[in-house]
Each structure stands twice: as structure tokens, then as C-alpha cells.
Amino acid sequence: MNTTTRTLPRLVAVIAVSVLALTGCAPENAPVKTETVPAGEVVTIDDAWVKSADEGMSAAFGKLVNTGEDDVTVVSVASEASPMLELHETVENEAGEMVMREIEGGFVIPAGGKLALEPGANHIMMMDLTGPLVAGSDVTFTLTFADDSTYEFSAPVKDYSGANENYEGGEEHEGMDH
Ligand SMILES: [Cu+2]
């Protein structure tokens, strides 16, 4: 093998490191960030509930509370009540209709703040119920945060006639309608 082509990348790397050293962009007294508390230890949910349903889809609501000093992000949710759950937001489409869709980047709960999950807004979508959700029973959910920590909570099932937003039509969800 030709030695010129072998050493060239290394030379470029050395130059790059030197330039970095010269510009010296690291401040001498950079604040050292104290260890962050796992999101799963500072997040709770108030007034959680699940909409009753015989089959198909349903949704879970409540107020997510973050008592920590950093914003936290819920990236996924799991439950035995549905093998497929999504974090949904509700938005107005071009036709002026309110439609729900998977939220990009997950649910962000601000530091020391709350995020409301409610009909017509953000919610935990249960895409395919494993069985009927009967009022009076409980459903357990496990939230997973961006830092991989988790928070488990259980929510009572309630009868509710609203929360019938249409699912935003998209190729990836075609064939979901029965
Ligand atoms: Cu939804």
C-alpha cells in the first residue's frame, strides 16, 4: 500500500487538533454541571385517566408534573393494555379540522412545570387495545424518558364521550381504519 495515502489522513487530523488548540474555545472556568437527577425520579402525573372503549383505539390523559430543575422529555410509553402506543398531539390541518398525530420529539415537560394531556390536545394514544377498557378498572403505563429512566403509573378507566379526534391521514397509517 502507498504510504502517502496512509499518512495523509493522520496529518490532517493533527492539523485539525492544532487549530482547535490555537483557537482555545474552552473557557478556563467552564461551569461544571452537577449530576442530573433521572427524569423518572422527578416526574409524576396528576389526575390520570383512560377513556373506556370496547376495542380499537383509546387514549390516556392527565397532568404530567416535573419537579426537577431540567426540562425532561417523554420519548415513549408502554402498557399491557395495548401493544402499540404513541405520544400524540392535536393540530389543525389545512382544511381547518383538528387532527391528531404522533408528536415529533416526544412530550417535553418544562423544569418545574406541567404538561397537560387532555382531550383535544396532547395525549397518550393506545393504538390497538388488547381487550375492552371497562370503567372502574385500572391501566398501568410506563413512561420512558430521553435519559432512559422510566416512570410507572396506573390510571382509572372512565366513560367519556369526547376525545374522538380523527387520526391524521398518512401513508404510514393507511389501513388502520376498520
Ligand atoms: Cu391520538
Side-chain angles (χ1 to χ4, degrees), residues 24 38 45 54 64 83 104-105 109 125 139 145 160 167 170:
I45 193 164
D54 292 333
L64 288 165
E104 226 172 281
I109 317 166
M125 194 77 203
V139 179
F145 300 93
Y160 182 75
Y167 197 37

mmCIF file of all heavy atoms in Angstrom, residues 24 38 45 54 64 83 104-105 109 125 139 145 160 167 170:
data_model
loop_
_atom_site.group_PDB
_atom_site.id
_atom_site.type_symbol
_atom_site.label_atom_id
_atom_site.label_comp_id
_atom_site.label_asym_id
_atom_site.label_seq_id
_atom_site.Cartn_x
_atom_site.Cartn_y
_atom_site.Cartn_z
ATOM 1 N N GLY A 24 -8.507 27.875 21.101
ATOM 2 C CA GLY A 24 -8.766 27.777 22.544
ATOM 3 C C GLY A 24 -10.163 28.196 22.937
ATOM 4 O O GLY A 24 -10.341 29.141 23.693
ATOM 5 N N PRO A 38 -32.257 11.603 37.449
ATOM 6 C CA PRO A 38 -33.025 10.924 36.396
ATOM 7 C C PRO A 38 -34.445 11.474 36.308
ATOM 8 O O PRO A 38 -35.094 11.721 37.336
ATOM 9 C CB PRO A 38 -33.042 9.465 36.858
ATOM 10 C CG PRO A 38 -31.870 9.336 37.774
ATOM 11 C CD PRO A 38 -31.702 10.679 38.414
ATOM 12 N N ILE A 45 -47.609 12.113 37.633
ATOM 13 C CA ILE A 45 -48.789 12.504 36.868
ATOM 14 C C ILE A 45 -49.957 12.694 37.821
ATOM 15 O O ILE A 45 -50.137 11.919 38.761
ATOM 16 C CB ILE A 45 -49.114 11.463 35.759
ATOM 17 C CG1 ILE A 45 -50.144 12.024 34.779
ATOM 18 C CG2 ILE A 45 -49.543 10.129 36.332
ATOM 19 C CD1 ILE A 45 -50.239 11.249 33.460
ATOM 20 N N ASP A 54 -64.486 -0.427 23.894
ATOM 21 C CA ASP A 54 -64.675 -1.865 23.743
ATOM 22 C C ASP A 54 -63.514 -2.497 22.990
ATOM 23 O O ASP A 54 -63.096 -3.609 23.281
ATOM 24 C CB ASP A 54 -65.973 -2.146 22.979
ATOM 25 C CG ASP A 54 -67.188 -1.748 23.800
ATOM 26 O OD1 ASP A 54 -67.086 -1.768 25.046
ATOM 27 O OD2 ASP A 54 -68.226 -1.389 23.210
ATOM 28 N N LEU A 64 -48.876 15.882 33.569
ATOM 29 C CA LEU A 64 -47.504 15.494 33.896
ATOM 30 C C LEU A 64 -46.830 16.646 34.626
ATOM 31 O O LEU A 64 -46.872 17.792 34.173
ATOM 32 C CB LEU A 64 -46.739 15.155 32.617
ATOM 33 C CG LEU A 64 -47.152 13.840 31.939
ATOM 34 C CD1 LEU A 64 -46.614 13.774 30.517
ATOM 35 C CD2 LEU A 64 -46.699 12.640 32.757
ATOM 36 N N PRO A 83 -50.406 -3.080 22.606
ATOM 37 C CA PRO A 83 -49.033 -3.352 22.186
ATOM 38 C C PRO A 83 -48.410 -2.178 21.440
ATOM 39 O O PRO A 83 -47.205 -2.166 21.197
ATOM 40 C CB PRO A 83 -49.182 -4.557 21.251
ATOM 41 C CG PRO A 83 -50.576 -4.463 20.737
ATOM 42 C CD PRO A 83 -51.390 -3.814 21.813
ATOM 43 N N GLU A 104 -43.599 15.064 17.265
ATOM 44 C CA GLU A 104 -42.183 14.909 16.943
ATOM 45 C C GLU A 104 -41.341 15.269 18.164
ATOM 46 O O GLU A 104 -41.543 16.308 18.788
ATOM 47 C CB GLU A 104 -41.828 15.836 15.782
ATOM 48 C CG GLU A 104 -40.999 15.181 14.709
ATOM 49 C CD GLU A 104 -40.834 16.070 13.505
ATOM 50 O OE1 GLU A 104 -41.778 16.133 12.697
ATOM 51 O OE2 GLU A 104 -39.790 16.709 13.408
ATOM 52 N N GLY A 105 -40.419 14.409 18.533
ATOM 53 C CA GLY A 105 -39.516 14.724 19.635
ATOM 54 C C GLY A 105 -40.059 14.388 21.009
ATOM 55 O O GLY A 105 -39.377 14.576 22.002
ATOM 56 N N ILE A 109 -41.671 18.236 29.197
ATOM 57 C CA ILE A 109 -42.252 18.804 30.420
ATOM 58 C C ILE A 109 -41.231 19.805 30.952
ATOM 59 O O ILE A 109 -40.113 19.432 31.314
ATOM 60 C CB ILE A 109 -42.533 17.729 31.484
ATOM 61 C CG1 ILE A 109 -43.156 16.485 30.834
ATOM 62 C CG2 ILE A 109 -43.436 18.275 32.587
ATOM 63 C CD1 ILE A 109 -43.147 15.279 31.744
ATOM 64 N N MET A 125 -51.760 7.858 23.095
ATOM 65 C CA MET A 125 -52.664 7.127 22.200
ATOM 66 C C MET A 125 -52.441 5.638 22.327
ATOM 67 O O MET A 125 -51.314 5.150 22.217
ATOM 68 C CB MET A 125 -52.375 7.557 20.763
ATOM 69 C CG MET A 125 -53.451 7.131 19.801
ATOM 70 S SD MET A 125 -54.851 8.231 19.997
ATOM 71 C CE MET A 125 -56.159 7.194 19.348
ATOM 72 N N VAL A 139 -55.447 0.866 34.380
ATOM 73 C CA VAL A 139 -54.451 0.533 33.362
ATOM 74 C C VAL A 139 -53.103 1.081 33.833
ATOM 75 O O VAL A 139 -53.022 2.209 34.327
ATOM 76 C CB VAL A 139 -54.804 1.158 31.992
ATOM 77 C CG1 VAL A 139 -53.743 0.811 30.959
ATOM 78 C CG2 VAL A 139 -56.177 0.697 31.525
ATOM 79 N N PHE A 145 -38.140 8.144 29.460
ATOM 80 C CA PHE A 145 -37.642 9.495 29.188
ATOM 81 C C PHE A 145 -36.398 9.451 28.307
ATOM 82 O O PHE A 145 -35.798 8.394 28.106
ATOM 83 C CB PHE A 145 -37.344 10.214 30.505
ATOM 84 C CG PHE A 145 -38.554 10.353 31.380
ATOM 85 C CD1 PHE A 145 -38.839 9.394 32.347
ATOM 86 C CD2 PHE A 145 -39.431 11.419 31.221
ATOM 87 C CE1 PHE A 145 -39.983 9.492 33.141
ATOM 88 C CE2 PHE A 145 -40.571 11.522 32.010
ATOM 89 C CZ PHE A 145 -40.845 10.565 32.967
ATOM 90 N N TYR A 160 -66.280 8.326 28.762
ATOM 91 C CA TYR A 160 -66.139 9.692 28.266
ATOM 92 C C TYR A 160 -66.551 9.700 26.805
ATOM 93 O O TYR A 160 -66.117 8.840 26.032
ATOM 94 C CB TYR A 160 -64.675 10.146 28.421
ATOM 95 C CG TYR A 160 -64.417 11.561 27.978
ATOM 96 C CD1 TYR A 160 -64.824 12.640 28.757
ATOM 97 C CD2 TYR A 160 -63.764 11.823 26.771
ATOM 98 C CE1 TYR A 160 -64.578 13.939 28.352
ATOM 99 C CE2 TYR A 160 -63.523 13.125 26.363
ATOM 100 C CZ TYR A 160 -63.934 14.177 27.153
ATOM 101 O OH TYR A 160 -63.698 15.460 26.740
ATOM 102 N N TYR A 167 -57.671 10.682 13.211
ATOM 103 C CA TYR A 167 -56.247 10.441 13.096
ATOM 104 C C TYR A 167 -55.777 11.029 11.783
ATOM 105 O O TYR A 167 -56.370 10.802 10.747
ATOM 106 C CB TYR A 167 -55.996 8.932 13.137
ATOM 107 C CG TYR A 167 -54.574 8.574 13.422
ATOM 108 C CD1 TYR A 167 -53.820 9.323 14.316
ATOM 109 C CD2 TYR A 167 -53.987 7.492 12.806
ATOM 110 C CE1 TYR A 167 -52.519 8.989 14.579
ATOM 111 C CE2 TYR A 167 -52.685 7.160 13.066
ATOM 112 C CZ TYR A 167 -51.958 7.916 13.953
ATOM 113 O OH TYR A 167 -50.664 7.576 14.206
ATOM 114 N N GLY A 170 -52.138 9.479 6.863
ATOM 115 C CA GLY A 170 -50.774 9.447 6.358
ATOM 116 C C GLY A 170 -50.493 8.062 5.825
ATOM 117 O O GLY A 170 -51.088 7.103 6.275
#
